[in-house]
Amino acid sequence: MVREAVKHLRPSGWFLNADLVVAEHADVERRVQEVRVAGIVRRAGGQDGRFLDATATRAFLDDLEASEGDRPITLQRDLLILRGAGLDRVEVYWKEYREVVYGGVI
């Protein structure tokens, strides 16, 4: 899919992607998820029933990921895919927990 998109770029054109990723190690992923869920619950402040507590939030996030058919991979693997598609100067521009924006130049 990335290779197909890269074919449509002009010379010096940029490819950017916003995606979800998973940590390389399961223990890191578990901790990231704990911090992520706690932050969502805190920011919701009891105003949204989906995010009243960690259990409800985790269920909502799991259902959302399952319904969207999303199968996140590691950031390192995503970056390799970009390089393999012929992009240069591949970088991560922003990352928060599992959310990331990365890209490169043709």
Side-chain angles (χ1 to χ4, degrees):
M1 182 185 217
V2 174
R3 284 180 195 254
E4 187 61 33
V6 167
K7 289 179 188 177
H8 298 283
L9 294 176
R10 294 180 182 163
S12 299
W14 286 83
F15 174 86
L16 296 175
N17 192 39
D19 206 354
L20 295 176
V21 296
V22 296
E24 295 278 337
H25 304 282
D27 59 327
V28 174
E29 180 65 20
R30 275 190 301 279
R31 185 61 184 139
V32 165
Q33 290 294 346
E34 289 170 2
V35 171
R36 176 181 180 223
V37 166
I40 292 169
V41 171
R42 186 183 69 253
R43 288 189 300 276
Q47 301 299 310
D48 188 325
R50 298 171 299 175
F51 311 122
L52 288 177
D53 59 25
T55 301
T57 302
R58 182 77 264 151
F60 174 81
L61 294 173
D62 290 344
D63 289 346
L64 180 64
E65 202 167 280
S67 70
E68 291 182 353
D70 204 359
R71 301 285 181 255
I73 59 176
T74 67
L75 178 57
Q76 297 309 317
R77 191 162 162 214
D78 271 332
L79 298 178
L80 286 173
I81 290 169
L82 267 58
R83 290 183 182 105
L87 292 168
D88 191 25
R89 295 180 290 195
V90 172
E91 296 285 343
V92 175
Y93 301 104
W94 175 82
K95 184 175 187 292
E96 182 174 342
Y97 304 115
R98 296 181 78 198
E99 299 170 16
V100 63
V101 176
Y102 55 87
V105 181
I106 189 67

XYZ file of all heavy atoms in Angstrom:
845
model
N 0.822 -1.191 0.000
C 0.000 0.000 0.000
C 0.872 1.264 0.000
O 0.581 2.202 -0.714
C -0.918 -0.038 1.212
C -1.850 1.095 1.305
S -2.711 0.941 2.864
C -4.281 1.456 2.476
N 1.929 1.274 0.815
C 2.827 2.435 0.842
C 3.534 2.562 -0.504
O 3.653 3.665 -1.047
C 3.842 2.344 1.997
C 4.849 3.476 1.932
C 3.125 2.357 3.333
N 3.980 1.443 -1.056
C 4.664 1.493 -2.362
C 3.768 2.125 -3.421
O 4.231 2.899 -4.256
C 5.081 0.102 -2.805
C 6.271 -0.436 -2.089
C 6.600 -1.836 -2.601
N 7.503 -2.499 -1.690
C 8.782 -2.696 -1.937
N 9.308 -2.309 -3.061
N 9.539 -3.295 -1.043
N 2.489 1.782 -3.387
C 1.539 2.352 -4.356
C 1.416 3.863 -4.168
O 1.410 4.619 -5.138
C 0.175 1.676 -4.213
C -0.808 2.069 -5.272
C -0.376 1.713 -6.695
O 0.313 0.688 -6.886
O -0.715 2.482 -7.609
N 1.336 4.317 -2.932
C 1.235 5.754 -2.659
C 2.500 6.478 -3.110
O 2.428 7.567 -3.689
C 0.985 5.994 -1.177
N 3.648 5.877 -2.857
C 4.932 6.496 -3.208
C 5.036 6.693 -4.718
O 5.616 7.679 -5.182
C 6.101 5.652 -2.649
C 7.433 6.075 -3.240
C 6.134 5.763 -1.133
N 4.440 5.818 -5.504
C 4.472 5.935 -6.967
C 3.837 7.242 -7.443
O 4.153 7.732 -8.517
C 3.719 4.770 -7.616
C 4.408 3.452 -7.509
C 3.545 2.377 -8.162
C 4.109 1.001 -7.919
N 3.236 -0.047 -8.486
N 2.951 7.806 -6.639
C 2.236 9.022 -7.032
C 2.903 10.304 -6.543
O 2.405 11.397 -6.822
C 0.794 8.960 -6.521
C 0.022 7.817 -7.097
N -0.476 7.824 -8.371
C -0.293 6.606 -6.575
C -1.084 6.690 -8.614
N -0.981 5.926 -7.536
N 4.012 10.172 -5.843
C 4.720 11.350 -5.340
C 5.631 11.937 -6.410
O 6.266 11.207 -7.174
C 5.554 10.989 -4.103
C 4.788 10.569 -2.858
C 5.765 10.164 -1.762
C 3.878 11.682 -2.378
N 5.712 13.234 -6.411
C 6.673 13.921 -7.274
C 8.049 13.820 -6.634
O 8.161 13.606 -5.423
C 6.293 15.394 -7.406
C 4.999 15.613 -8.113
C 4.702 17.082 -8.189
N 3.427 17.286 -8.837
C 2.742 18.397 -8.778
N 3.207 19.421 -8.076
N 1.594 18.504 -9.398
N 9.108 14.040 -7.385
C 10.438 14.072 -6.773
C 10.460 15.083 -5.617
O 9.881 16.161 -5.721
C 11.350 14.517 -7.926
C 10.630 14.047 -9.156
C 9.159 14.209 -8.840
N 11.053 14.711 -4.539
C 11.113 15.487 -3.300
C 9.761 15.539 -2.591
O 9.590 16.312 -1.650
C 11.635 16.905 -3.527
O 12.945 16.853 -4.057
N 8.800 14.713 -3.015
C 7.489 14.681 -2.376
C 7.534 13.944 -1.048
O 8.333 13.038 -0.846
N 6.664 14.345 -0.147
C 6.598 13.785 1.199
C 5.456 12.794 1.317
O 4.371 13.016 0.789
C 6.367 14.895 2.214
C 7.567 15.729 2.463
C 7.992 16.787 1.711
C 8.503 15.584 3.510
N 9.134 17.311 2.241
C 9.469 16.581 3.363
C 8.614 14.705 4.584
C 10.535 16.738 4.227
C 9.664 14.845 5.451
C 10.620 15.849 5.269
N 5.698 11.747 2.075
C 4.660 10.816 2.488
C 4.602 10.885 4.002
O 5.609 10.703 4.686
C 5.004 9.381 2.054
C 4.031 8.362 2.585
C 2.860 8.085 1.893
C 4.284 7.685 3.773
C 1.963 7.149 2.380
C 3.391 6.748 4.263
C 2.223 6.477 3.566
N 3.418 11.184 4.551
C 3.218 11.217 5.996
C 2.106 10.247 6.353
O 1.134 10.100 5.609
C 2.837 12.618 6.476
C 3.899 13.695 6.280
C 3.344 15.049 6.687
C 5.136 13.370 7.072
N 2.237 9.611 7.502
C 1.233 8.668 7.958
C 0.979 8.860 9.448
O 1.919 9.008 10.224
C 1.709 7.234 7.697
C 0.606 6.217 7.889
O -0.535 6.447 7.520
N 0.940 5.087 8.464
N -0.295 8.867 9.821
C -0.696 8.863 11.226
C -1.233 7.467 11.504
O -2.086 6.973 10.773
C -1.766 9.913 11.481
N -0.720 6.828 12.548
C -1.046 5.426 12.768
C -0.964 5.083 14.244
O -0.488 5.878 15.055
C -0.060 4.561 11.977
C -0.619 3.200 11.596
O -1.736 2.854 12.021
O 0.082 2.489 10.869
N -1.423 3.900 14.566
C -1.241 3.318 15.895
C -0.139 2.285 15.808
O -0.030 1.577 14.804
C -2.531 2.630 16.370
C -3.733 3.512 16.614
C -4.938 2.651 16.978
C -3.456 4.502 17.720
N 0.657 2.201 16.848
C 1.732 1.216 16.905
C 1.680 0.497 18.246
O 1.009 0.935 19.176
C 3.123 1.867 16.713
C 3.247 2.473 15.327
C 3.403 2.907 17.787
N 2.400 -0.605 18.324
C 2.566 -1.320 19.593
C 4.042 -1.286 19.962
O 4.911 -1.156 19.099
C 2.066 -2.781 19.525
C 0.568 -2.830 19.282
C 2.803 -3.568 18.468
N 4.308 -1.415 21.245
C 5.691 -1.424 21.726
C 6.382 -2.729 21.310
O 5.728 -3.749 21.071
C 5.723 -1.280 23.246
N 7.684 -2.685 21.253
C 8.482 -3.864 20.902
C 8.357 -4.966 21.948
O 8.417 -6.141 21.627
C 9.962 -3.476 20.767
C 10.264 -2.520 19.645
C 10.392 -3.206 18.299
O 10.673 -4.417 18.250
O 10.186 -2.503 17.290
N 8.186 -4.586 23.209
C 8.170 -5.549 24.314
C 6.821 -5.509 25.022
O 6.296 -4.430 25.308
C 9.298 -5.254 25.298
C 10.643 -5.240 24.641
N 11.306 -6.398 24.307
C 11.423 -4.218 24.232
C 12.449 -6.085 23.724
N 12.543 -4.766 23.662
N 6.282 -6.686 25.345
C 4.958 -6.796 25.958
C 4.850 -6.031 27.274
O 3.821 -5.403 27.541
C 4.596 -8.265 26.163
N 5.894 -6.050 28.096
C 5.820 -5.345 29.375
C 5.751 -3.833 29.172
O 5.046 -3.131 29.903
C 6.970 -5.731 30.308
C 8.340 -5.436 29.726
O 8.519 -5.531 28.489
O 9.250 -5.130 30.511
N 6.435 -3.328 28.173
C 6.364 -1.897 27.856
C 4.975 -1.567 27.321
O 4.373 -0.560 27.713
C 7.459 -1.497 26.848
C 7.289 -0.055 26.400
C 8.838 -1.742 27.434
N 4.434 -2.416 26.459
C 3.095 -2.194 25.913
C 2.050 -2.156 27.029
O 1.174 -1.284 27.039
C 2.737 -3.280 24.889
C 1.356 -3.127 24.280
C 1.171 -1.877 23.432
O 2.154 -1.266 22.966
O 0.001 -1.508 23.230
N 2.162 -3.074 27.995
C 1.218 -3.078 29.115
C 1.282 -1.767 29.893
O 0.264 -1.176 30.237
C 1.506 -4.253 30.058
C 0.857 -5.546 29.642
C 0.959 -6.617 30.717
N 2.323 -6.961 31.093
C 3.110 -7.788 30.408
N 2.658 -8.370 29.318
N 4.335 -8.037 30.821
N 2.477 -1.286 30.153
C 2.628 -0.040 30.907
C 2.108 1.158 30.116
O 1.452 2.041 30.666
C 4.087 0.163 31.324
C 4.292 1.367 32.194
C 3.499 1.250 33.504
N 3.646 2.475 34.274
C 2.657 3.055 34.940
N 1.462 2.511 34.986
N 2.859 4.174 35.586
N 2.417 1.192 28.839
C 1.912 2.273 27.985
C 0.388 2.288 28.026
O -0.237 3.345 28.142
C 2.428 2.117 26.536
C 1.646 2.983 25.561
C 3.909 2.427 26.454
N -0.219 1.119 27.950
C -1.678 1.034 27.989
C -2.234 1.510 29.330
O -3.256 2.193 29.379
C -2.144 -0.394 27.696
C -1.932 -0.812 26.260
C -2.797 -0.028 25.290
O -3.739 0.658 25.654
N -2.459 -0.122 24.016
N -1.573 1.154 30.425
C -2.019 1.611 31.749
C -2.006 3.134 31.837
O -2.969 3.752 32.304
C -1.117 1.028 32.841
C -1.273 -0.444 33.073
C -0.201 -1.011 33.996
O 0.658 -0.241 34.485
O -0.217 -2.230 34.219
N -0.916 3.737 31.401
C -0.785 5.196 31.449
C -1.792 5.848 30.507
O -2.442 6.846 30.855
C 0.662 5.619 31.105
C 0.776 7.121 30.936
C 1.629 5.106 32.155
N -1.951 5.275 29.328
C -2.894 5.796 28.334
C -4.311 5.780 28.881
O -5.032 6.791 28.810
C -2.791 4.944 27.066
C -3.762 5.291 25.988
C -3.565 4.341 24.807
N -4.491 4.632 23.736
C -5.149 3.698 23.061
N -4.973 2.419 23.341
N -5.965 4.036 22.103
N -4.739 4.652 29.421
C -6.101 4.515 29.943
C -6.320 5.461 31.121
O -7.352 6.134 31.208
C -6.396 3.044 30.317
C -7.655 2.921 31.155
C -6.500 2.191 29.058
N -5.361 5.543 32.020
C -5.487 6.442 33.170
C -5.644 7.889 32.708
O -6.451 8.652 33.268
C -4.277 6.309 34.089
N -4.928 8.280 31.681
C -5.039 9.635 31.148
C -6.398 9.910 30.531
O -6.973 10.989 30.705
N -6.931 8.927 29.819
C -8.253 9.083 29.209
C -9.310 9.251 30.306
O -10.164 10.137 30.230
C -8.586 7.888 28.297
C -7.672 7.896 27.065
C -10.061 7.907 27.886
C -7.733 6.630 26.230
N -9.247 8.391 31.326
C -10.203 8.472 32.433
C -10.099 9.838 33.111
O -11.115 10.496 33.387
C -9.978 7.321 33.445
C -10.810 7.520 34.706
C -10.274 5.972 32.796
N -8.893 10.292 33.363
C -8.686 11.583 34.027
C -9.245 12.725 33.181
O -9.956 13.596 33.688
C -7.202 11.799 34.315
C -6.915 13.055 35.124
C -5.433 13.293 35.352
N -4.767 13.658 34.104
C -3.952 12.870 33.397
N -3.662 11.658 33.815
N -3.409 13.281 32.269
N -8.947 12.727 31.894
C -9.416 13.819 31.025
C -10.930 13.798 30.850
O -11.550 14.855 30.715
C -8.718 13.760 29.663
C -7.257 14.170 29.730
C -6.635 14.306 28.352
N -6.657 13.089 27.563
C -5.751 12.109 27.641
N -4.747 12.195 28.495
N -5.838 11.050 26.865
N -11.541 12.610 30.866
C -12.997 12.513 30.724
C -13.703 13.045 31.968
O -14.828 13.541 31.871
C -13.407 11.068 30.463
N -13.064 12.936 33.110
C -13.599 13.514 34.345
C -15.001 13.055 34.706
O -15.779 13.839 35.257
N -15.360 11.831 34.370
C -16.673 11.311 34.714
C -17.807 11.822 33.836
O -18.969 11.522 34.088
N -17.481 12.574 32.802
C -18.497 13.179 31.941
C -18.931 12.280 30.777
O -19.898 12.595 30.094
C -17.978 14.507 31.376
C -17.611 15.516 32.439
C -18.811 15.886 33.302
O -19.873 16.223 32.796
N -18.641 15.800 34.606
N -18.216 11.190 30.553
C -18.513 10.299 29.428
C -18.550 8.872 29.959
O -17.552 8.368 30.472
C -17.424 10.459 28.354
C -17.737 9.718 27.071
O -18.350 8.623 27.127
O -17.363 10.217 25.999
N -19.706 8.224 29.843
C -19.886 6.885 30.386
C -18.924 5.849 29.844
O -18.625 4.859 30.517
N -18.400 6.085 28.652
C -17.441 5.129 28.076
C -16.123 5.131 28.834
O -15.375 4.167 28.766
C -17.179 5.474 26.606
C -18.407 5.400 25.725
C -18.130 5.958 24.353
N -17.749 7.373 24.455
C -17.358 8.113 23.428
N -17.279 7.589 22.222
N -17.036 9.374 23.594
N -15.859 6.228 29.543
C -14.551 6.411 30.174
C -14.666 6.686 31.677
O -13.873 7.432 32.236
C -13.808 7.557 29.490
C -13.799 7.454 27.989
C -14.324 8.469 27.206
C -13.281 6.334 27.357
C -14.325 8.373 25.814
C -13.274 6.229 25.964
C -13.803 7.247 25.195
N -15.637 6.069 32.325
C -15.840 6.294 33.759
C -14.700 5.747 34.606
O -14.355 6.331 35.627
C -17.157 5.681 34.221
C -18.406 6.414 33.754
C -19.650 5.661 34.212
C -18.421 7.845 34.262
N -14.137 4.616 34.173
C -13.041 3.994 34.917
C -12.160 3.223 33.942
O -12.441 3.173 32.741
C -13.572 3.088 36.039
C -14.475 1.971 35.534
O -14.363 1.552 34.360
O -15.309 1.503 36.328
N -11.116 2.621 34.474
C -10.160 1.905 33.621
C -10.803 0.727 32.900
O -10.510 0.473 31.722
C -8.958 1.443 34.444
N -11.688 0.011 33.569
C -12.321 -1.164 32.955
C -13.198 -0.758 31.772
O -13.121 -1.361 30.698
C -13.153 -1.931 34.003
O -12.281 -2.325 35.070
C -13.801 -3.158 33.404
N -14.027 0.263 31.961
C -14.894 0.730 30.873
C -14.068 1.275 29.715
O -14.371 1.015 28.545
C -15.846 1.799 31.390
N -13.031 2.009 30.029
C -12.171 2.592 28.996
C -11.465 1.513 28.207
O -11.423 1.549 26.977
C -11.155 3.558 29.633
O -11.874 4.567 30.341
C -10.258 4.193 28.586
N -10.908 0.539 28.910
C -10.215 -0.566 28.236
C -11.171 -1.321 27.321
O -10.834 -1.658 26.186
C -9.619 -1.510 29.287
C -8.837 -2.674 28.753
C -7.436 -2.278 28.282
N -7.462 -2.047 26.852
C -6.669 -1.204 26.201
N -5.759 -0.503 26.820
N -6.761 -1.036 24.909
N -12.401 -1.566 27.786
C -13.390 -2.262 26.969
C -13.723 -1.452 25.716
O -13.808 -2.003 24.609
C -14.650 -2.536 27.780
N -13.904 -0.143 25.884
C -14.199 0.712 24.737
C -13.063 0.667 23.718
O -13.288 0.499 22.515
C -14.438 2.163 25.175
C -14.593 3.097 24.017
C -15.806 3.202 23.360
C -13.514 3.851 23.562
C -15.950 4.054 22.267
C -13.646 4.699 22.473
C -14.867 4.797 21.826
N -11.827 0.813 24.182
C -10.679 0.806 23.272
C -10.522 -0.533 22.571
O -10.245 -0.584 21.364
C -9.408 1.168 24.039
C -9.350 2.598 24.595
C -8.121 2.768 25.471
C -9.392 3.627 23.483
N -10.714 -1.626 23.302
C -10.605 -2.962 22.700
C -11.685 -3.180 21.648
O -11.415 -3.708 20.569
C -10.685 -4.047 23.772
C -9.456 -4.084 24.675
O -8.411 -3.485 24.301
O -9.535 -4.708 25.745
N -12.918 -2.766 21.956
C -14.021 -2.905 20.997
C -13.776 -2.059 19.751
O -14.031 -2.498 18.630
C -15.350 -2.498 21.636
C -15.848 -3.491 22.664
O -15.322 -4.628 22.724
O -16.771 -3.122 23.429
N -13.288 -0.847 19.950
C -13.008 0.043 18.828
C -11.952 -0.561 17.907
O -12.123 -0.599 16.682
C -12.546 1.410 19.346
C -12.222 2.465 18.303
C -13.477 2.828 17.505
C -11.642 3.697 18.967
N -10.876 -1.041 18.489
C -9.804 -1.628 17.689
C -10.308 -2.858 16.941
O -10.002 -3.049 15.762
C -8.624 -1.989 18.594
C -7.318 -2.100 17.863
C -6.142 -2.148 18.807
O -5.727 -1.086 19.298
O -5.650 -3.271 19.039
N -11.108 -3.700 17.610
C -11.639 -4.907 16.977
C -12.613 -4.563 15.856
O -12.567 -5.162 14.772
C -12.313 -5.787 18.013
N -13.484 -3.588 16.080
C -14.488 -3.240 15.068
C -13.853 -2.591 13.841
O -14.373 -2.713 12.737
C -15.559 -2.324 15.659
O -15.042 -1.040 15.928
N -12.738 -1.915 14.033
C -12.046 -1.284 12.906
C -11.094 -2.248 12.216
O -10.514 -1.917 11.184
C -11.299 -0.044 13.384
C -12.229 1.077 13.804
C -11.493 2.324 14.238
O -10.245 2.304 14.355
O -12.170 3.339 14.473
N -10.914 -3.434 12.799
C -10.008 -4.411 12.200
C -8.558 -3.972 12.222
O -7.755 -4.410 11.419
N -8.233 -3.079 13.138
C -6.880 -2.531 13.213
C -5.943 -3.548 13.853
O -6.249 -4.122 14.896
C -6.895 -1.242 14.029
C -5.737 -0.330 13.694
O -4.914 -0.709 12.839
O -5.670 0.752 14.275
N -4.808 -3.764 13.232
C -3.782 -4.669 13.745
C -2.452 -3.921 13.795
O -1.621 -4.068 12.906
C -3.640 -5.905 12.852
C -4.902 -6.719 12.691
C -5.174 -7.531 13.954
N -6.359 -8.332 13.799
C -7.526 -8.056 14.364
N -7.669 -6.979 15.091
N -8.565 -8.843 14.196
N -2.281 -3.062 14.807
C -1.051 -2.276 14.871
C 0.200 -3.149 14.926
O 0.185 -4.242 15.492
C -1.208 -1.485 16.170
C -2.666 -1.477 16.456
C -3.181 -2.778 15.924
N 1.258 -2.646 14.312
C 2.571 -3.292 14.358
C 3.523 -2.349 15.082
O 3.145 -1.243 15.461
C 3.084 -3.648 12.937
C 3.209 -2.389 12.059
C 2.151 -4.673 12.291
C 3.789 -2.643 10.677
N 4.751 -2.771 15.256
C 5.714 -1.922 15.961
C 6.129 -0.746 15.077
O 6.084 -0.817 13.845
C 6.974 -2.700 16.363
O 7.680 -3.080 15.184
C 6.635 -3.915 17.209
N 6.552 0.309 15.721
C 7.027 1.484 15.005
C 8.234 1.138 14.143
O 8.334 1.583 12.997
C 7.367 2.599 15.999
C 7.930 3.880 15.410
C 6.993 4.478 14.365
C 8.209 4.882 16.525
N 9.127 0.344 14.679
C 10.318 -0.037 13.903
C 9.932 -0.743 12.608
O 10.529 -0.496 11.555
C 11.244 -0.909 14.749
C 11.806 -0.210 15.962
C 12.440 1.134 15.648
O 13.158 1.287 14.674
N 12.149 2.140 16.459
N 8.937 -1.606 12.696
C 8.485 -2.314 11.491
C 7.850 -1.344 10.497
O 8.095 -1.429 9.292
C 7.506 -3.413 11.885
C 7.188 -4.346 10.763
C 6.580 -5.634 11.289
N 5.915 -6.312 10.206
C 4.834 -7.034 10.311
N 4.286 -7.215 11.499
N 4.290 -7.597 9.272
N 7.050 -0.399 10.997
C 6.462 0.616 10.118
C 7.541 1.421 9.397
O 7.433 1.692 8.200
C 5.577 1.572 10.914
C 4.132 1.108 11.020
O 3.656 0.401 10.119
O 3.487 1.465 12.013
N 8.575 1.808 10.117
C 9.647 2.602 9.505
C 10.393 1.799 8.446
O 10.781 2.335 7.400
C 10.598 3.114 10.582
C 9.961 4.056 11.624
C 10.990 4.453 12.675
C 9.320 5.268 10.978
N 10.574 0.511 8.693
C 11.205 -0.361 7.689
C 10.352 -0.455 6.420
O 10.885 -0.486 5.314
C 11.447 -1.755 8.265
C 12.596 -1.885 9.256
C 12.604 -3.285 9.872
C 13.937 -1.585 8.591
N 9.041 -0.492 6.597
C 8.142 -0.533 5.443
C 8.314 0.727 4.599
O 8.384 0.652 3.366
C 6.684 -0.713 5.903
C 6.485 -2.135 6.453
C 5.707 -0.421 4.763
C 5.174 -2.356 7.164
N 8.409 1.886 5.241
C 8.608 3.131 4.496
C 9.929 3.116 3.743
O 9.981 3.482 2.565
C 8.540 4.340 5.437
C 7.172 4.992 5.584
C 6.113 4.036 6.066
C 7.270 6.217 6.449
N 10.974 2.693 4.418
C 12.282 2.626 3.744
C 12.250 1.629 2.590
O 12.811 1.884 1.520
C 13.365 2.269 4.756
C 13.648 3.393 5.736
C 14.782 3.063 6.706
N 14.959 4.142 7.637
C 14.560 4.120 8.911
N 13.992 3.030 9.422
N 14.741 5.162 9.695
N 11.580 0.510 2.792
C 11.458 -0.508 1.755
C 10.649 -0.035 0.558
O 10.793 -0.557 -0.545
N 9.796 0.943 0.765
C 8.992 1.507 -0.321
C 9.755 2.579 -1.089
O 9.225 3.179 -2.022
C 7.698 2.093 0.237
N 10.996 2.830 -0.674
C 11.831 3.782 -1.399
C 11.896 5.170 -0.797
O 12.467 6.082 -1.402
N 11.345 5.349 0.381
C 11.411 6.665 1.019
C 12.756 6.866 1.706
O 13.354 5.921 2.218
C 10.279 6.825 2.026
C 8.888 6.906 1.395
C 7.810 6.778 2.446
C 8.726 8.205 0.619
N 13.184 8.099 1.725
C 14.447 8.491 2.342
C 14.132 9.439 3.495
O 13.029 9.974 3.587
C 15.310 9.198 1.288
C 16.734 9.408 1.725
O 17.222 8.655 2.590
O 17.371 10.335 1.188
N 15.100 9.679 4.348
C 14.950 10.597 5.482
C 13.702 10.269 6.306
O 12.949 11.154 6.714
C 14.944 12.053 5.026
C 16.278 12.460 4.425
C 16.261 13.872 3.984
N 15.388 13.978 2.810
C 15.355 14.995 1.994
N 16.108 16.012 2.204
N 14.541 15.004 0.964
N 13.487 8.988 6.509
C 12.330 8.533 7.290
C 12.520 8.935 8.747
O 13.568 8.676 9.337
C 12.162 6.998 7.149
C 11.101 6.473 8.085
C 11.847 6.641 5.699
N 11.508 9.603 9.297
C 11.580 10.114 10.665
C 10.233 9.975 11.357
O 9.195 9.897 10.704
C 11.936 11.607 10.659
C 13.302 11.945 10.111
C 14.429 11.618 11.073
O 14.151 11.436 12.279
O 15.574 11.553 10.622
N 10.276 10.015 12.670
C 9.072 10.107 13.495
C 8.919 11.580 13.858
O 9.839 12.198 14.378
C 9.202 9.250 14.777
C 8.003 9.458 15.689
C 9.378 7.787 14.413
N 7.752 12.144 13.574
C 7.529 13.556 13.826
C 6.771 13.817 15.121
O 6.873 14.887 15.698
C 6.790 14.190 12.639
C 7.593 14.012 11.381
C 7.235 13.067 10.434
C 8.762 14.733 11.190
C 8.006 12.881 9.301
C 9.535 14.546 10.062
C 9.156 13.615 9.127
O 9.927 13.420 8.023
N 6.005 12.841 15.554
C 5.254 12.988 16.794
C 4.848 11.604 17.277
O 4.523 10.732 16.467
C 4.016 13.838 16.550
C 3.104 13.973 17.720
C 3.228 14.839 18.764
C 1.913 13.217 17.979
N 2.189 14.667 19.653
C 1.366 13.676 19.186
C 1.265 12.192 17.296
C 0.196 13.153 19.729
C 0.109 11.665 17.829
C -0.416 12.153 19.037
N 4.876 11.391 18.584
C 4.433 10.126 19.156
C 3.902 10.391 20.555
O 4.517 11.106 21.333
C 5.571 9.108 19.228
C 5.121 7.741 19.742
C 6.272 6.741 19.674
C 5.837 5.342 19.998
N 5.445 5.115 21.359
N 2.731 9.827 20.830
C 2.160 9.867 22.170
C 1.521 8.514 22.420
O 0.546 8.150 21.752
C 1.121 10.979 22.297
C 0.559 11.072 23.702
C -0.377 12.257 23.893
O -0.344 13.185 23.075
O -1.135 12.237 24.854
N 2.086 7.796 23.371
C 1.624 6.444 23.686
C 1.669 5.587 22.427
O 2.735 5.300 21.939
C 0.252 6.444 24.359
C 0.237 7.289 25.613
C -0.541 8.429 25.705
C 1.039 6.948 26.685
C -0.542 9.203 26.850
C 1.055 7.731 27.842
C 0.256 8.841 27.904
O 0.282 9.610 29.045
N 0.532 5.210 21.890
C 0.490 4.362 20.703
C 0.291 5.146 19.412
O 0.382 4.585 18.322
C -0.643 3.329 20.825
C -0.433 2.356 21.967
C -1.555 1.361 22.027
N -1.358 0.346 21.003
C -2.334 -0.445 20.577
N -3.539 -0.326 21.040
N -2.082 -1.353 19.664
N -0.031 6.408 19.510
C -0.318 7.210 18.329
C 0.981 7.834 17.816
O 1.778 8.366 18.594
C -1.337 8.291 18.652
C -2.660 7.713 19.110
C -3.602 8.760 19.657
O -3.385 9.965 19.422
O -4.561 8.363 20.334
N 1.155 7.797 16.503
C 2.411 8.269 15.932
C 2.174 8.880 14.553
O 1.271 8.467 13.842
C 3.443 7.103 15.870
C 2.965 5.989 14.968
C 4.814 7.570 15.460
N 2.979 9.883 14.228
C 3.020 10.446 12.892
C 4.464 10.312 12.414
O 5.389 10.743 13.093
C 2.582 11.932 12.857
C 2.739 12.514 11.464
C 1.154 12.084 13.358
N 4.614 9.700 11.265
C 5.950 9.472 10.709
C 5.892 9.600 9.195
O 4.800 9.645 8.609
C 6.493 8.102 11.122
C 5.584 6.940 10.767
C 5.653 6.334 9.522
C 4.642 6.472 11.668
C 4.809 5.291 9.200
C 3.792 5.431 11.357
C 3.890 4.847 10.105
O 3.042 3.815 9.779
N 7.032 9.684 8.567
C 7.039 9.805 7.113
C 8.435 9.891 6.562
O 9.428 9.685 7.269
N 8.480 10.204 5.277
C 9.749 10.316 4.589
C 9.564 11.018 3.246
O 8.453 11.423 2.890
N 10.656 11.131 2.526
C 10.705 11.866 1.270
C 11.132 10.915 0.161
O 12.000 10.066 0.355
C 11.717 13.032 1.361
C 11.781 13.826 0.071
C 11.392 13.932 2.534
N 10.549 11.101 -1.008
C 10.953 10.285 -2.156
C 12.158 10.916 -2.833
O 12.388 12.093 -2.790
C 9.784 10.104 -3.147
C 10.106 9.076 -4.224
C 9.423 11.378 -3.825
C 10.239 7.687 -3.702
